[in-house]
Amino acid sequence: MLNSNVFPVLTELELQLPMYLTSAGGWINQERIERPNGFDSYQWLQCLGGRGRLEFGRPGEGGAEVAAGQGMLLYPGVPHRYYAVEEPWSVAWVTFRGGVVPDVLEKLQLREGVYAAAEPDRLRAGIERAVRGLSGGDPLRGYAGSALLYELL
């Protein structure tokens, strides 16, 4: 799964789901990412090894280091940058959208930032399932991906 990413063409059915995956993947050594205009989807990046740094908002507004067993949540359209502090910085990720996502994250009290994962191996396994699901040709992959998002969150 590492050193691969999947950005599927989304169907009309998938776009109508309450939550849906937009991409998934991972890198053995995550390169520096700078997004001054943010990204178009919510992002969860799970640190698998090494250490990185997440900075979000305008420079100097907020940031934290991310180590193995932790993950970072980013909201769409929020300027951010992340980079390795200790290489190799291995990460796995899913990106997602949907009409209910803001309400679900609010109810779970999840804002952009760094979180310790209670079960990091389970999160990694879920992300690996997302990569396999998005890579396959199953016409019901959108339903499976939506269910997986509920499980991961």
Side-chain angles (χ1 to χ4, degrees):
M1 182 224 36
L2 292 179
N3 281 345
S4 67
N5 56 66
V6 182
F7 291 87
V9 174
L10 299 172
T11 66
E12 285 299 317
L13 173 66
E14 289 167 315
L15 295 173
Q16 293 174 17
L17 291 169
M19 288 198 298
Y20 55 93
L21 292 168
T22 57
S23 73
W27 297 115
I28 291 173
N29 193 25
Q30 173 65 53
E31 64 183 41
R32 181 181 186 92
I33 298 293
E34 298 219 22
R35 294 192 175 113
N37 299 314
F39 190 69
D40 66 353
S41 296
Y42 293 88
Q43 302 172 77
W44 174 262
L45 292 95
Q46 182 69 33
C47 179
L48 307 175
R51 286 184 309 122
R53 177 150 179 89
L54 164 66
E55 298 172 356
F56 52 91
R58 293 180 186 82
E61 277 189 347
E65 287 204 4
V66 187
Q70 295 179 309
M72 51 190 187
L73 178 64
L74 296 165
Y75 275 44
V78 175
H80 63 269
R81 65 215 60 74
Y82 48 89
Y83 51 89
V85 172
E86 176 188 304
E87 294 185 0
W89 184 37
S90 300
V91 299
W93 78 87
V94 292
T95 64
F96 52 99
R97 293 185 209 141
V100 303
V101 174
D103 289 338
V104 169
L105 294 178
E106 182 179 331
K107 285 184 181 12
L108 295 172
Q109 298 180 352
L110 293 173
R111 298 294 311 150
E112 48 284 287
V114 174
Y115 293 88
E119 299 181 61
D121 291 337
R122 188 172 175 197
L123 277 170
R124 179 183 180 154
I127 294 170
E128 289 173 353
R129 286 192 353 246
V131 170
R132 286 192 305 273
L134 290 176
S135 299
D138 184 351
L140 300 177
R141 73 171 187 207
Y143 291 113
S146 185
L148 180 59
L149 278 173
Y150 282 100
E151 180 183 326
L152 291 174
L153 292 174

